[in-house]
């Protein structure tokens, strides 16, 4: 890993904490609403997808845990904000453990899905963790824009 694990986790935590703050600002109604754009996702769905990413990539491929993921269901998820924020906090704790035990230069502990076998993220544990951060940063920004769209007229 090119940066210390604690520094990596600091940046990942910032993205996850920012997502939780946005959810709390929006509240249950707006967090479960989709902006009026083709293919847009609700804030709740975006964060649920990020938890799926953490579990699949860090939990399954890096830590080697058995992971069952319904990626499509992540994008239709809805529910109370505080429940999701609690899930984010639990996922952060597990993610810290997964990163702490990771060997960035080692191969993945599980075979990736065939769609990911030829990607750089699929080659090493460090590559998978970099992909996790990529997804967290990307979706944190998406969530900020989504929040702005949902609150622009209210």
């Amino acid at each position: 890993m090119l940066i210390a694990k604690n520094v990596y986790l600091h940046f990942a935590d910032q993205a996850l904490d920012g997502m939780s703050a946005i959810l709390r600002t929006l509240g249950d109604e707006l967090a479960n609403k989709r902006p009026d754009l083709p293919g847009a996702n609700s804030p709740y769905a975006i964060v649920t997808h990020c938890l799926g990413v953490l579990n699949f990539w860090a939990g399954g491929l890096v830590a080697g845990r058995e992971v069952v993921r319904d990626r499509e269901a992540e994008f239709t998820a809805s529910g109370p904000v505080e429940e999701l924020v609690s899930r984010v906090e639990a996922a952060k704790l597990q993610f810290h453990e997964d990163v702490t035990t990771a060997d960035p230069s080692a191969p993945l502990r599980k075979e990736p899905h065939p769609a990911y076998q030829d990607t750089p993220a699929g080659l090493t544990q460090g590559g998978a963790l970099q992909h996790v951060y990529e997804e967290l940063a990307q979706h944190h920004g998406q969530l900020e824009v989504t929040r702005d769209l949902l609150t622009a007229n209210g």
Side-chain angles (χ1 to χ4, degrees):
M1 203 163 213
L2 298 176
I3 62 172
K5 290 178 181 180
N6 67 317
V7 175
Y8 171 84
L9 287 167
H10 168 79
F11 288 109
D13 284 352
Q14 277 189 312
L16 289 163
D17 291 343
M19 290 182 204
S20 290
I22 289 169
L23 289 171
R24 284 186 166 130
T25 298
L26 291 172
D28 290 341
E29 183 179 341
L30 287 178
N32 287 285
K33 186 174 180 179
R34 294 172 184 262
D36 190 20
L37 296 169
N41 293 300
S42 73
Y44 195 99
I46 294 167
V47 175
T48 299
H49 170 64
C50 287
L51 297 182
V53 167
L54 284 175
N55 194 38
F56 176 79
W57 286 89
L61 300 181
V62 173
R65 285 193 310 280
E66 189 62 38
V67 172
V68 176
R69 182 180 186 197
D70 184 350
R71 190 176 184 280
E72 293 304 312
E74 294 167 11
F75 297 104
T76 60
S78 63
V81 163
E82 285 307 316
E83 179 183 293
L84 183 54
V85 168
S86 292
R87 288 177 43 217
V88 169
E89 288 305 310
K92 279 175 43 181
L93 291 173
Q94 183 62 64
F95 185 57
H96 279 237
E97 188 176 313
D98 294 341
V99 170
T100 299
T101 61
D103 179 353
S105 61
L108 299 174
R109 290 196 170 111
K110 293 221 178 233
E111 273 298 305
H113 186 278
Y116 302 122
Q117 287 182 345
D118 293 332
T119 64
L123 300 178
T124 65
Q125 292 177 32
L129 291 174
Q130 182 58 40
H131 178 65
V132 169
Y133 180 73
E134 172 189 33
E135 288 285 312
L136 292 177
Q138 169 183 286
H139 289 307
H140 182 212
Q142 178 189 13
L143 192 58
E144 290 174 324
V145 172
T146 301
R147 173 205 55 212
D148 293 348
L149 290 169
L150 290 171
T151 60
N153 296 323

